Amino acid sequence: MKLQPMNDFSTGKYLALILVFHSVLSIIIFSKLKIYYLLNPFVTAHAVLMSIFGLRPLVMRYPTDFSFYGLDSVTGFNSAVMAGLVASAALTLGFISSRPRDTTVLKSEPFSKDKVLMRARVVSILVMMIWVALMILLGGTSVLSLLSQGRSDELNASFSGVPILLQALPASSFIVFTASLLFLGRYERISMANRIELILLFLLTAAPSALLGDRRIIFPMAICMLWVLLQNKRDFRLGIVSSLGFLVAGLILTIYPFVRSSGAREGINLPTATYRFFRENGLVDVFRGYLVKNDTEMFNFVSYLTTRVGTEYQFGYGRGTFIDLLREALPSSLEASHTWSDMILTNMFGGGCASGLCPVPSLVGVLFYDMGILGVAGGFFLLGFLAKKYDGVVSTSSGLALVVTLTFGAYCTVIVRGSSIAMIWIALNVILVGHFGLKFVFRNYMLDSRGLVRR
């Protein structure tokens, strides 16, 4: 039976058009379509907001597009678009209200580039070896074979209760090497051999996440890699070839959720399953699927919340952000069902995330159910304010400051898009390991007002 289009929701769609126009204009004016600046958190946050709260509502037409696990996400359509528009406007306002950080690089005492790189290699490889050993210890010798087959109940059972710190090790390994190259790149050009080495390390550390179709790890690592590769080529603009490259990469990442389970692959490998899915569905259906299915269903979540939080559900007033982040540090047996996000899900579906239904609200949703529309405006104003200083901090800082800035900048996309508090907790675990790894790499040096000096 042919689906009949829903009502026009003309007000919401006009607001969505304004959001798309505003985001595109903000991205172009700031980045001037230079790839290095397209990776700034200001741009990536705008891109996420545009896809969820701009493009998705524009293509929503049929009842299935409004489906949200049996709940009504129609009533709050206009309010959800407005929440996204407030976030987008606050992001830009925060950005233009901030002053950029000075990018002047401090002078440095002579140091051995080869020794620093060797230590960075040792730390990165050692962290990956520890990860592999712990994976086998916790999941058994068959775990690596299970990884190659995609997500499955057997694999999930092997890693139930595994601490986030273990899951963060591959990203931490890559952050250490990336931060080391970023620091060295301030004083001399990174060689082609080092660039190839970086790409190979990316393929190695991203492989486990790629096999499982976990874009929460792949995307931040890819951003870090591009920052290093473009560090001394900041004026390199988006062209035909680079645009096609980003299109292909985006297409693959869009298809991943549909082929990451072992059942969806039907015994074939991931690249073959990805190609088969694209061949069977075509370019238009793949991208429309991205805009009306799980990848942007956060819009439906926010649409449901906007008409109920403050009436049926209480505002969190910090319990959905700061307190939930503190509870992420607790073992799952202690924190489950006590988080504010789980209380929201229990009110909606009768059970928390562990019960099976676990849609993600996006940062807009988290801020809204915690502090309302003022929380959305304040949170994104702060994000824009910090994003303006991002390039300067990455270009001049070292040690913990460099690891923190690099990690949160890379994770900004998944924090804005997904289960924000969980993503922040993963980023904090990456920072923890990355900080100690970088301390070993530069253990004989410190950065002060004179630059990099021997201790």
Short mmCIF file of all heavy atoms in Angstrom, two decimals, residues 82-148:
data_model
loop_
_atom_site.label_atom_id
_atom_site.label_comp_id
_atom_site.label_asym_id
_atom_site.label_seq_id
_atom_site.Cartn_x
_atom_site.Cartn_y
_atom_site.Cartn_z
N MET A 82 12.58 24.26 16.49
CA MET A 82 12.95 25.50 17.19
C MET A 82 14.10 25.26 18.17
O MET A 82 15.02 26.09 18.28
CB MET A 82 11.74 26.05 17.93
CG MET A 82 12.03 27.32 18.73
SD MET A 82 12.67 28.67 17.70
CE MET A 82 11.16 29.18 16.88
N ALA A 83 14.09 24.12 18.86
CA ALA A 83 15.19 23.80 19.78
C ALA A 83 16.50 23.68 19.02
O ALA A 83 17.55 24.17 19.47
CB ALA A 83 14.88 22.50 20.52
N GLY A 84 16.46 23.05 17.84
CA GLY A 84 17.66 22.94 17.02
C GLY A 84 18.13 24.29 16.52
O GLY A 84 19.33 24.57 16.47
N LEU A 85 17.17 25.15 16.15
CA LEU A 85 17.51 26.49 15.67
C LEU A 85 18.13 27.34 16.78
O LEU A 85 19.09 28.08 16.56
CB LEU A 85 16.26 27.17 15.12
CG LEU A 85 16.45 28.55 14.47
CD1 LEU A 85 17.45 28.47 13.32
CD2 LEU A 85 15.11 29.08 13.97
N VAL A 86 17.61 27.20 17.99
CA VAL A 86 18.19 27.91 19.14
C VAL A 86 19.62 27.45 19.37
O VAL A 86 20.53 28.26 19.61
CB VAL A 86 17.34 27.68 20.41
CG1 VAL A 86 18.08 28.14 21.66
CG2 VAL A 86 16.00 28.41 20.29
N ALA A 87 19.85 26.14 19.29
CA ALA A 87 21.19 25.60 19.47
C ALA A 87 22.14 26.14 18.40
O ALA A 87 23.28 26.54 18.69
CB ALA A 87 21.15 24.07 19.41
N SER A 88 21.69 26.16 17.15
CA SER A 88 22.51 26.63 16.05
C SER A 88 22.85 28.11 16.20
O SER A 88 24.00 28.54 16.02
CB SER A 88 21.78 26.39 14.72
OG SER A 88 22.54 26.84 13.62
N ALA A 89 21.84 28.92 16.56
CA ALA A 89 22.06 30.35 16.74
C ALA A 89 22.98 30.62 17.93
O ALA A 89 23.88 31.49 17.85
CB ALA A 89 20.72 31.06 16.94
N ALA A 90 22.79 29.90 19.03
CA ALA A 90 23.63 30.08 20.21
C ALA A 90 25.08 29.68 19.92
O ALA A 90 26.02 30.32 20.40
CB ALA A 90 23.08 29.27 21.38
N LEU A 91 25.26 28.64 19.13
CA LEU A 91 26.60 28.19 18.75
C LEU A 91 27.34 29.31 18.00
O LEU A 91 28.51 29.61 18.30
CB LEU A 91 26.49 26.94 17.88
CG LEU A 91 27.79 26.31 17.37
CD1 LEU A 91 28.61 25.76 18.53
CD2 LEU A 91 27.48 25.21 16.36
N THR A 92 26.67 29.92 17.04
CA THR A 92 27.28 31.01 16.28
C THR A 92 27.51 32.24 17.15
O THR A 92 28.56 32.89 17.07
CB THR A 92 26.38 31.39 15.09
OG1 THR A 92 26.23 30.24 14.24
CG2 THR A 92 26.99 32.52 14.28
N LEU A 93 26.54 32.57 18.00
CA LEU A 93 26.68 33.73 18.88
C LEU A 93 27.86 33.56 19.83
O LEU A 93 28.64 34.50 20.06
CB LEU A 93 25.38 33.95 19.67
CG LEU A 93 25.32 35.20 20.55
CD1 LEU A 93 25.49 36.46 19.70
CD2 LEU A 93 24.00 35.25 21.33
N GLY A 94 28.01 32.36 20.38
CA GLY A 94 29.15 32.09 21.26
C GLY A 94 30.46 32.20 20.52
O GLY A 94 31.46 32.72 21.05
N PHE A 95 30.47 31.76 19.28
CA PHE A 95 31.69 31.80 18.47
C PHE A 95 32.12 33.23 18.18
O PHE A 95 33.29 33.59 18.34
CB PHE A 95 31.45 31.04 17.16
CG PHE A 95 32.68 30.83 16.33
CD1 PHE A 95 33.55 29.78 16.61
CD2 PHE A 95 32.97 31.67 15.27
CE1 PHE A 95 34.69 29.58 15.84
CE2 PHE A 95 34.10 31.48 14.50
CZ PHE A 95 34.97 30.42 14.79
N ILE A 96 31.17 34.08 17.77
CA ILE A 96 31.54 35.45 17.42
C ILE A 96 31.77 36.31 18.67
O ILE A 96 32.35 37.40 18.57
CB ILE A 96 30.48 36.11 16.51
CG1 ILE A 96 29.12 36.22 17.23
CG2 ILE A 96 30.33 35.34 15.22
CD1 ILE A 96 28.04 36.89 16.41
N SER A 97 31.33 35.84 19.84
CA SER A 97 31.55 36.58 21.08
C SER A 97 32.92 36.31 21.68
O SER A 97 33.33 36.99 22.63
CB SER A 97 30.47 36.21 22.12
OG SER A 97 29.18 36.51 21.64
N SER A 98 33.61 35.31 21.17
CA SER A 98 34.89 34.89 21.74
C SER A 98 36.06 35.45 20.94
O SER A 98 35.92 35.78 19.76
CB SER A 98 34.96 33.37 21.75
OG SER A 98 36.17 32.91 22.29
N ARG A 99 37.19 35.56 21.60
CA ARG A 99 38.41 35.98 20.92
C ARG A 99 39.27 34.75 20.64
O ARG A 99 39.40 33.89 21.50
CB ARG A 99 39.20 36.95 21.79
CG ARG A 99 38.53 38.30 21.98
CD ARG A 99 39.43 39.23 22.78
NE ARG A 99 38.81 40.55 22.95
CZ ARG A 99 39.40 41.55 23.61
NH1 ARG A 99 40.59 41.36 24.16
NH2 ARG A 99 38.79 42.71 23.71
N PRO A 100 39.87 34.68 19.47
CA PRO A 100 40.73 33.52 19.17
C PRO A 100 41.98 33.52 20.04
O PRO A 100 42.48 34.58 20.42
CB PRO A 100 41.07 33.70 17.69
CG PRO A 100 40.92 35.17 17.44
CD PRO A 100 39.82 35.63 18.35
N ARG A 101 42.46 32.34 20.34
CA ARG A 101 43.71 32.19 21.10
C ARG A 101 44.90 32.51 20.21
O ARG A 101 44.92 32.17 19.03
CB ARG A 101 43.79 30.74 21.62
CG ARG A 101 45.10 30.34 22.27
CD ARG A 101 45.17 30.82 23.69
NE ARG A 101 46.38 30.28 24.33
CZ ARG A 101 46.42 29.18 25.06
NH1 ARG A 101 45.30 28.49 25.26
NH2 ARG A 101 47.53 28.75 25.61
N ASP A 102 45.88 33.19 20.77
CA ASP A 102 47.10 33.51 20.03
C ASP A 102 47.77 32.22 19.56
O ASP A 102 47.93 31.26 20.33
CB ASP A 102 48.06 34.29 20.93
CG ASP A 102 49.33 34.70 20.20
OD1 ASP A 102 49.34 34.68 18.96
OD2 ASP A 102 50.31 35.05 20.89
N THR A 103 48.14 32.16 18.28
CA THR A 103 48.74 30.94 17.72
C THR A 103 50.25 31.03 17.60
O THR A 103 50.88 30.21 16.94
CB THR A 103 48.14 30.63 16.33
OG1 THR A 103 48.36 31.77 15.48
CG2 THR A 103 46.66 30.34 16.42
N THR A 104 50.86 32.03 18.24
CA THR A 104 52.32 32.15 18.19
C THR A 104 52.96 30.97 18.90
O THR A 104 52.68 30.70 20.08
CB THR A 104 52.78 33.46 18.85
OG1 THR A 104 52.15 34.56 18.20
CG2 THR A 104 54.29 33.60 18.76
N VAL A 105 53.83 30.26 18.21
CA VAL A 105 54.49 29.08 18.77
C VAL A 105 55.73 29.52 19.52
O VAL A 105 56.57 30.25 19.00
CB VAL A 105 54.86 28.08 17.66
CG1 VAL A 105 55.60 26.89 18.25
CG2 VAL A 105 53.60 27.63 16.92
N LEU A 106 55.85 29.08 20.77
CA LEU A 106 57.02 29.42 21.58
C LEU A 106 58.27 28.75 21.03
O LEU A 106 58.22 27.65 20.48
CB LEU A 106 56.80 28.99 23.03
CG LEU A 106 55.64 29.68 23.78
CD1 LEU A 106 55.43 29.03 25.13
CD2 LEU A 106 55.92 31.17 23.93
N LYS A 107 59.39 29.41 21.20
CA LYS A 107 60.65 28.81 20.77
C LYS A 107 60.99 27.60 21.62
O LYS A 107 60.49 27.45 22.73
CB LYS A 107 61.77 29.84 20.85
CG LYS A 107 61.62 30.99 19.86
CD LYS A 107 62.80 31.94 19.95
CE LYS A 107 62.65 33.08 18.94
NZ LYS A 107 63.79 34.03 19.00
N SER A 108 61.84 26.76 21.11
CA SER A 108 62.15 25.52 21.80
C SER A 108 63.65 25.28 21.83
O SER A 108 64.38 25.67 20.91
CB SER A 108 61.47 24.34 21.09
OG SER A 108 61.95 23.13 21.59
N GLU A 109 64.10 24.68 22.93
CA GLU A 109 65.46 24.17 22.95
C GLU A 109 65.57 23.02 21.96
O GLU A 109 64.58 22.36 21.65
CB GLU A 109 65.83 23.68 24.35
CG GLU A 109 66.04 24.78 25.36
CD GLU A 109 66.56 24.23 26.68
OE1 GLU A 109 66.77 23.01 26.77
OE2 GLU A 109 66.76 25.04 27.60
N PRO A 110 66.77 22.74 21.46
CA PRO A 110 66.93 21.60 20.55
C PRO A 110 66.48 20.30 21.23
O PRO A 110 66.77 20.05 22.39
CB PRO A 110 68.43 21.59 20.27
CG PRO A 110 68.88 22.98 20.54
CD PRO A 110 68.03 23.47 21.67
N PHE A 111 65.77 19.49 20.50
CA PHE A 111 65.38 18.17 21.01
C PHE A 111 65.41 17.18 19.87
O PHE A 111 65.38 17.55 18.69
CB PHE A 111 63.99 18.22 21.66
CG PHE A 111 62.88 18.59 20.72
CD1 PHE A 111 62.18 17.61 20.04
CD2 PHE A 111 62.54 19.92 20.51
CE1 PHE A 111 61.16 17.95 19.16
CE2 PHE A 111 61.52 20.26 19.65
CZ PHE A 111 60.82 19.28 18.97
N SER A 112 65.48 15.92 20.23
CA SER A 112 65.62 14.87 19.22
C SER A 112 64.24 14.45 18.69
O SER A 112 63.46 13.82 19.41
CB SER A 112 66.34 13.65 19.81
OG SER A 112 66.31 12.58 18.90
N LYS A 113 63.96 14.81 17.46
CA LYS A 113 62.70 14.41 16.84
C LYS A 113 62.60 12.89 16.75
O LYS A 113 61.55 12.31 17.02
CB LYS A 113 62.59 15.04 15.45
CG LYS A 113 61.39 14.55 14.66
CD LYS A 113 61.43 15.05 13.22
CE LYS A 113 60.34 14.39 12.40
NZ LYS A 113 60.40 14.79 10.97
N ASP A 114 63.70 12.25 16.37
CA ASP A 114 63.68 10.79 16.21
C ASP A 114 63.39 10.10 17.53
O ASP A 114 62.65 9.11 17.57
CB ASP A 114 65.02 10.31 15.66
CG ASP A 114 65.26 10.77 14.22
OD1 ASP A 114 64.25 11.06 13.54
OD2 ASP A 114 66.42 10.85 13.80
N LYS A 115 63.95 10.62 18.63
CA LYS A 115 63.72 10.00 19.93
C LYS A 115 62.26 10.17 20.36
O LYS A 115 61.65 9.23 20.89
CB LYS A 115 64.65 10.63 20.98
CG LYS A 115 64.56 9.97 22.35
CD LYS A 115 65.55 10.59 23.33
CE LYS A 115 66.98 10.22 22.95
NZ LYS A 115 67.95 10.69 23.99
N VAL A 116 61.71 11.36 20.12
CA VAL A 116 60.31 11.60 20.46
C VAL A 116 59.39 10.68 19.67
O VAL A 116 58.47 10.07 20.21
CB VAL A 116 59.95 13.08 20.21
CG1 VAL A 116 58.44 13.29 20.26
CG2 VAL A 116 60.63 13.98 21.22
N LEU A 117 59.64 10.57 18.37
CA LEU A 117 58.81 9.70 17.53
C LEU A 117 58.93 8.25 17.93
O LEU A 117 57.95 7.49 17.91
CB LEU A 117 59.18 9.88 16.06
CG LEU A 117 58.62 11.14 15.38
CD1 LEU A 117 59.15 11.25 13.95
CD2 LEU A 117 57.10 11.11 15.37
N MET A 118 60.14 7.82 18.28
CA MET A 118 60.33 6.43 18.70
C MET A 118 59.52 6.14 19.96
O MET A 118 58.88 5.09 20.08
CB MET A 118 61.81 6.14 18.92
CG MET A 118 62.10 4.70 19.33
SD MET A 118 61.42 3.49 18.16
CE MET A 118 62.45 3.82 16.72
N ARG A 119 59.57 7.06 20.91
CA ARG A 119 58.78 6.87 22.14
C ARG A 119 57.29 6.85 21.83
O ARG A 119 56.54 6.06 22.42
CB ARG A 119 59.09 7.99 23.13
CG ARG A 119 60.48 7.90 23.75
CD ARG A 119 60.72 9.10 24.63
NE ARG A 119 62.05 9.12 25.20
CZ ARG A 119 62.57 10.15 25.86
NH1 ARG A 119 61.84 11.25 26.01
NH2 ARG A 119 63.79 10.09 26.34
N ALA A 120 56.85 7.72 20.93
CA ALA A 120 55.43 7.75 20.55
C ALA A 120 55.02 6.43 19.92
O ALA A 120 53.93 5.91 20.20
CB ALA A 120 55.17 8.91 19.59
N ARG A 121 55.89 5.87 19.08
CA ARG A 121 55.59 4.57 18.47
C ARG A 121 55.48 3.48 19.53
O ARG A 121 54.57 2.65 19.51
CB ARG A 121 56.68 4.19 17.47
CG ARG A 121 56.76 5.06 16.23
CD ARG A 121 57.79 4.51 15.26
NE ARG A 121 58.10 5.49 14.22
CZ ARG A 121 59.23 6.19 14.16
NH1 ARG A 121 60.17 6.01 15.08
NH2 ARG A 121 59.43 7.05 13.19
N VAL A 122 56.45 3.49 20.45
CA VAL A 122 56.47 2.46 21.50
C VAL A 122 55.20 2.52 22.34
O VAL A 122 54.56 1.50 22.61
CB VAL A 122 57.72 2.64 22.40
CG1 VAL A 122 57.61 1.76 23.64
CG2 VAL A 122 58.99 2.30 21.63
N VAL A 123 54.81 3.74 22.74
CA VAL A 123 53.61 3.89 23.57
C VAL A 123 52.37 3.43 22.80
O VAL A 123 51.54 2.67 23.33
CB VAL A 123 53.44 5.35 24.02
CG1 VAL A 123 52.08 5.56 24.69
CG2 VAL A 123 54.55 5.74 24.97
N SER A 124 52.23 3.85 21.56
CA SER A 124 51.05 3.50 20.75
C SER A 124 50.93 1.99 20.56
O SER A 124 49.86 1.41 20.74
CB SER A 124 51.11 4.21 19.40
OG SER A 124 51.09 5.61 19.56
N ILE A 125 52.04 1.36 20.20
CA ILE A 125 52.02 -0.09 19.97
C ILE A 125 51.80 -0.84 21.28
O ILE A 125 51.04 -1.82 21.33
CB ILE A 125 53.34 -0.54 19.30
CG1 ILE A 125 53.42 0.05 17.89
CG2 ILE A 125 53.42 -2.06 19.24
CD1 ILE A 125 54.74 -0.17 17.20
N LEU A 126 52.42 -0.36 22.36
CA LEU A 126 52.25 -1.01 23.66
C LEU A 126 50.80 -0.94 24.11
O LEU A 126 50.25 -1.94 24.61
CB LEU A 126 53.17 -0.34 24.69
CG LEU A 126 53.13 -0.93 26.11
CD1 LEU A 126 53.57 -2.39 26.10
CD2 LEU A 126 54.01 -0.12 27.06
N VAL A 127 50.16 0.21 23.96
CA VAL A 127 48.76 0.35 24.37
C VAL A 127 47.88 -0.59 23.55
O VAL A 127 46.96 -1.23 24.10
CB VAL A 127 48.30 1.81 24.21
CG1 VAL A 127 46.78 1.93 24.39
CG2 VAL A 127 49.01 2.71 25.21
N MET A 128 48.15 -0.71 22.25
CA MET A 128 47.37 -1.63 21.43
C MET A 128 47.60 -3.09 21.82
O MET A 128 46.66 -3.90 21.82
CB MET A 128 47.70 -1.44 19.95
CG MET A 128 47.02 -0.24 19.31
SD MET A 128 45.22 -0.29 19.41
CE MET A 128 44.82 -1.73 18.42
N MET A 129 48.82 -3.43 22.18
CA MET A 129 49.11 -4.80 22.62
C MET A 129 48.39 -5.10 23.93
O MET A 129 47.88 -6.22 24.12
CB MET A 129 50.63 -4.97 22.78
CG MET A 129 51.39 -4.99 21.46
SD MET A 129 53.18 -5.09 21.69
CE MET A 129 53.34 -6.70 22.46
N ILE A 130 48.35 -4.11 24.83
CA ILE A 130 47.62 -4.29 26.09
C ILE A 130 46.14 -4.50 25.80
O ILE A 130 45.48 -5.35 26.40
CB ILE A 130 47.84 -3.07 27.01
CG1 ILE A 130 49.29 -3.03 27.49
CG2 ILE A 130 46.88 -3.11 28.20
CD1 ILE A 130 49.64 -1.77 28.26
N TRP A 131 45.61 -3.72 24.84
CA TRP A 131 44.20 -3.86 24.47
C TRP A 131 43.91 -5.26 23.95
O TRP A 131 42.93 -5.90 24.36
CB TRP A 131 43.85 -2.82 23.41
CG TRP A 131 42.44 -2.92 22.92
CD1 TRP A 131 41.32 -2.44 23.53
CD2 TRP A 131 41.99 -3.57 21.73
NE1 TRP A 131 40.20 -2.75 22.79
CE2 TRP A 131 40.58 -3.44 21.69
CE3 TRP A 131 42.65 -4.25 20.70
CZ2 TRP A 131 39.82 -3.96 20.65
CZ3 TRP A 131 41.89 -4.77 19.67
CH2 TRP A 131 40.50 -4.62 19.65
N VAL A 132 44.74 -5.76 23.04
CA VAL A 132 44.54 -7.10 22.48
C VAL A 132 44.60 -8.15 23.58
O VAL A 132 43.76 -9.06 23.64
CB VAL A 132 45.59 -7.39 21.38
CG1 VAL A 132 45.51 -8.86 20.96
CG2 VAL A 132 45.38 -6.49 20.18
N ALA A 133 45.59 -8.04 24.47
CA ALA A 133 45.75 -9.01 25.56
C ALA A 133 44.53 -9.02 26.47
O ALA A 133 44.03 -10.10 26.86
CB ALA A 133 47.02 -8.71 26.35
N LEU A 134 44.04 -7.83 26.82
CA LEU A 134 42.87 -7.75 27.70
C LEU A 134 41.61 -8.26 27.00
O LEU A 134 40.74 -8.87 27.64
CB LEU A 134 42.68 -6.32 28.18
CG LEU A 134 43.72 -5.79 29.18
CD1 LEU A 134 43.50 -4.31 29.47
CD2 LEU A 134 43.67 -6.60 30.47
N MET A 135 41.50 -7.99 25.70
CA MET A 135 40.35 -8.49 24.95
C MET A 135 40.31 -10.02 24.98
O MET A 135 39.26 -10.63 25.19
CB MET A 135 40.43 -8.00 23.50
CG MET A 135 40.21 -6.51 23.33
SD MET A 135 38.48 -6.06 23.38
CE MET A 135 37.97 -6.51 21.73
N ILE A 136 41.47 -10.63 24.75
CA ILE A 136 41.54 -12.10 24.76
C ILE A 136 41.29 -12.64 26.16
O ILE A 136 40.60 -13.64 26.36
CB ILE A 136 42.91 -12.57 24.23
CG1 ILE A 136 43.03 -12.21 22.74
CG2 ILE A 136 43.08 -14.07 24.42
CD1 ILE A 136 44.39 -12.50 22.15
N LEU A 137 41.84 -11.93 27.17
CA LEU A 137 41.67 -12.36 28.56
C LEU A 137 40.20 -12.33 28.97
O LEU A 137 39.69 -13.25 29.63
CB LEU A 137 42.49 -11.45 29.48
CG LEU A 137 42.43 -11.76 30.98
CD1 LEU A 137 43.05 -13.12 31.26
CD2 LEU A 137 43.13 -10.67 31.78
N LEU A 138 39.48 -11.28 28.56
CA LEU A 138 38.08 -11.12 28.97
C LEU A 138 37.10 -11.85 28.05
O LEU A 138 36.07 -12.32 28.50
CB LEU A 138 37.72 -9.63 29.01
CG LEU A 138 38.46 -8.78 30.05
CD1 LEU A 138 38.17 -7.31 29.84
CD2 LEU A 138 38.06 -9.20 31.46
N GLY A 139 37.46 -11.93 26.77
CA GLY A 139 36.51 -12.50 25.81
C GLY A 139 36.89 -13.87 25.28
O GLY A 139 36.13 -14.46 24.51
N GLY A 140 38.08 -14.37 25.64
CA GLY A 140 38.51 -15.68 25.16
C GLY A 140 39.28 -15.57 23.84
O GLY A 140 39.31 -14.52 23.20
N THR A 141 39.90 -16.65 23.44
CA THR A 141 40.75 -16.64 22.25
C THR A 141 39.95 -16.46 20.96
O THR A 141 40.52 -16.09 19.93
CB THR A 141 41.53 -17.97 22.17
OG1 THR A 141 40.60 -19.07 22.23
CG2 THR A 141 42.52 -18.10 23.32
N SER A 142 38.65 -16.71 21.01
CA SER A 142 37.83 -16.59 19.80
C SER A 142 37.34 -15.17 19.55
O SER A 142 36.69 -14.91 18.54
CB SER A 142 36.61 -17.51 19.89
OG SER A 142 35.78 -17.13 20.98
N VAL A 143 37.69 -14.23 20.44
CA VAL A 143 37.11 -12.90 20.36
C VAL A 143 37.52 -12.16 19.09
O VAL A 143 36.71 -11.44 18.49
CB VAL A 143 37.49 -12.07 21.61
CG1 VAL A 143 38.97 -11.78 21.64
CG2 VAL A 143 36.71 -10.77 21.64
N LEU A 144 38.78 -12.34 18.65
CA LEU A 144 39.22 -11.64 17.45
C LEU A 144 38.49 -12.15 16.22
O LEU A 144 38.19 -11.39 15.29
CB LEU A 144 40.73 -11.80 17.28
CG LEU A 144 41.58 -11.20 18.42
CD1 LEU A 144 43.06 -11.40 18.14
CD2 LEU A 144 41.27 -9.73 18.61
N SER A 145 38.19 -13.44 16.21
CA SER A 145 37.41 -14.01 15.10
C SER A 145 35.98 -13.47 15.12
O SER A 145 35.40 -13.15 14.08
CB SER A 145 37.40 -15.53 15.20
OG SER A 145 36.54 -16.09 14.23
N LEU A 146 35.41 -13.33 16.32
CA LEU A 146 34.06 -12.79 16.45
C LEU A 146 34.00 -11.34 15.99
O LEU A 146 33.02 -10.91 15.39
CB LEU A 146 33.59 -12.90 17.91
CG LEU A 146 33.27 -14.30 18.44
CD1 LEU A 146 32.97 -14.25 19.93
CD2 LEU A 146 32.08 -14.89 17.68
N LEU A 147 35.07 -10.59 16.26
CA LEU A 147 35.11 -9.20 15.84
C LEU A 147 34.98 -9.07 14.32
O LEU A 147 34.30 -8.19 13.80
CB LEU A 147 36.42 -8.54 16.29
CG LEU A 147 36.47 -8.00 17.72
CD1 LEU A 147 37.89 -7.54 18.04
CD2 LEU A 147 35.50 -6.84 17.89
N SER A 148 35.66 -9.97 13.61
CA SER A 148 35.65 -9.89 12.15
C SER A 148 34.29 -10.23 11.56
O SER A 148 34.00 -9.88 10.42
CB SER A 148 36.71 -10.84 11.57
OG SER A 148 36.38 -12.19 11.86
#
